[in-house]
Amino acid sequence: MPIDQNGDARIGGVSLRSLPKVSLHDHLDGGLRPATIIELADAAGVAVPVTDPAGLGEWFARQSDSGSLVEYLKTFDLTCAVMQTREGLTRVAREFVDDLVADGVVYGEVRWAPEQHLAGGLSLDEAVAAVQDGLEQGEDAAAAAGHDIRVGQLITAMRHTDRSLEIAKLAVSWRDRGAVGFDIAGPEDGFPPARHRAAFDYLAAEFFPATVHAGEAAGLESIRSALLDGRALRLGHGVRIAEDLEVVGRDGEDVQVRFGDLAAWVRDREIPLELSPSSNLQTGAIAAWGTELADHPFDLLYQLGFAVTVNVDNRTMSRTSLTRELALLAETFDYDLADLEMFQLNAAAGAFLPVEEREELIGIISDGYAG
Ligand SMILES: [Zn+2]
């Protein structure tokens, strides 16, 4: 299924971009437009490696495909460097919503770590407010143009620093003003959720939802800690849960699989997996299975009944969109519209929203796919 020059693809004549989508795992500092980076860098006196938007877009792709974590992380140094002021944060958040709208997203959750945006003198609270302003500007502009979208903040703490309790309190303090959940990100291996137990205990006592990056750079122990110590309601990627599955036989299309207790729990409790196909390839999260999208355990997890969702992770680094991720999956695993609809319904069901709003989303998706 060819992706056209507008970044769209079609199944049975239906534009994938036009279909309603839910984006759950989408980093603010991973979704900047190259042209915006250049403008903001110019104003802030930040050096950019390439000074034209197309070339900078290619630089992101090269760095991210390099196979080197050091080179990959340089891309975030650049995006974060231009997000240290109120103006920078607000503009990036505003454009983030605009870009989701163009991708057909009707509900999104944007994650970012306020503690990484204080170098220009903003307080944590001011940084969250700046992002919230941009999100609301984007929502209002979309509504004026006839497209309803809501984007909630997932306030993220960094795993390798020790501010997680403070960040958890920040998230809860914004719960009725735009924050919908909490996340921890950064180096997974060696920095388990157990290290942030105080933050997760606090969130649990406040009944504030958390998703946890786990099962990406580390394996089953990390997922176990995300569920036990983090009380994660969703897993950020979680792809390595497939390590707890043993394929014991195949009969044509049918695969017989033995489940470990952890995998059984994640499937049977319908804990959403925030899978990000292109990113999972680039970061080596699926290295145990191979290097091509066809090697991704996505389809196995889907066929076995896990609550799989499709995500972009970092649109700029992976030069992707939700439309493109869906098209790549459909092409690789021969999915039809009913499959793609299921991924959106899973995401709607897993959104950190009150149940009536999730049901409303489910209605929007069903209507959209019904044509
Ligand atoms: Zn992520």
Side-chain angles (χ1 to χ4, degrees):
M1 173 187 329
I3 296 168
D4 67 28
Q5 62 207 30
N6 299 317
D8 199 0
R10 285 169 189 278
I11 293 182
V14 176
S15 149
L16 296 192
R17 193 158 65 185
S18 72
L19 293 169
K21 299 173 196 70
V22 172
S23 183
L24 296 182
H25 193 124
D26 207 330
H27 290 266
L28 185 65
D29 55 336
L32 282 73
R33 298 173 184 172
T36 297
I37 295 171
I38 291 167
E39 279 180 40
L40 291 175
D42 196 37
V46 170
V48 289
V50 186
T51 52
D52 70 286
L56 186 59
E58 280 159 26
W59 177 82
F60 273 103
R62 260 200 323 277
Q63 295 289 113
S64 309
D65 274 331
S66 67
S68 154
L69 185 63
V70 173
E71 293 303 313
Y72 185 55
L73 293 180
K74 280 184 191 167
T75 62
F76 290 94
D77 290 345
L78 175 58
T79 57
C80 284
V82 302
M83 296 165 69
Q84 300 298 334
T85 61
R86 188 188 310 272
E87 297 72 31
L89 284 168
T90 300
R91 175 168 174 187
V92 168
R94 157 73 201 259
E95 292 179 355
F96 189 96
V97 179
D98 294 346
D99 292 345
L100 291 191
V101 169
D103 203 8
V105 172
V106 293
Y107 175 74
E109 292 179 5
V110 56
R111 64 186 72 200
W112 67 293
E115 66 189 87
Q116 294 190 305
H117 301 271
L118 309 179
L122 293 176
S123 68
L124 289 170
D125 215 51
E126 288 167 342
V128 175
V131 167
Q132 188 60 30
D133 280 350
L135 297 178
E136 289 175 12
Q137 285 175 19
E139 290 169 344
D140 291 347
H147 180 107
D148 278 326
I149 183 168
R150 217 187 120 190
V151 180
Q153 295 196 44
L154 290 175
I155 303 290
T156 300
M158 299 307 293
R159 318 174 79 108
H160 58 289
T161 64
D162 56 5
R163 300 187 78 162
S164 54
L165 178 57
E166 184 185 8
I167 301 300
K169 289 181 175 171
L170 175 74
V172 171
S173 78
W174 279 86
R175 79 185 304 167
D176 295 318
R177 298 181 289 153
V180 297
F182 177 83
D183 173 39
I184 55 171
E188 182 183 352
D189 215 3
F191 297 93
R195 214 170 167 263
H196 301 284
R197 188 65 199 243
F200 287 116
D201 285 352
Y202 172 79
L203 294 164
E206 295 290 335
F207 296 104
F208 194 75
T211 175
V212 173
H213 276 85
E216 181 188 22
L220 297 177
E221 275 314 305
S222 176
I223 294 175
R224 195 182 303 273
S225 181
L227 296 170
L228 291 179
D229 302 301
R231 281 84 134 196
L233 297 180
R234 304 196 311 242
L235 294 170
H237 306 295
V239 57
R240 288 177 62 177
I241 193 65
E243 292 174 9
D244 206 28
L245 301 170
E246 188 189 352
V247 176
V248 290
R250 272 180 207 277
D251 181 11
E253 293 269 282
D254 269 352
V255 185
Q256 283 101 44
V257 171
R258 188 178 295 133
F259 280 68
D261 291 340
L262 185 58
W265 178 263
V266 170
R267 184 191 67 164
D268 294 337
R269 297 299 109 219
E270 301 180 328
I271 293 166
L273 301 175
E274 300 163 358
L275 300 167
S276 308
S278 292
S279 168
N280 295 158
L281 284 180
Q282 286 177 308
T283 62
I286 65 151
W289 297 280
T291 55
E292 306 286 325
L293 190 53
D295 303 318
H296 197 297
F298 185 98
D299 188 57
L300 177 68
L301 293 165
Y302 174 47
Q303 301 301 340
L304 291 173
F306 285 83
V308 297
T309 70
V310 181
N311 300 279
V312 292
D313 202 13
N314 297 295
R315 282 182 275 119
T316 309
M317 287 69 184
S318 299
R319 294 181 96 188
T320 198
S321 65
L322 206 40
T323 298
R324 180 169 172 274
E325 294 300 303
L326 292 170
L328 292 173
L329 286 171
E331 183 176 42
T332 304
F333 297 116
D334 203 21
Y335 292 145
D336 60 18
L337 289 178
D339 296 308
L340 304 191
E341 180 180 6
M342 180 60 72
F343 309 149
Q344 301 313 312
L345 293 172
N346 286 343
F352 289 158
L353 287 173
V355 70
E356 62 270 20
E357 292 178 42
R358 282 187 277 144
E359 281 167 1
E360 196 182 317
L361 271 184
I362 286 166
I364 291 169
I365 291 161
S366 301
D367 290 350
Y369 275 79

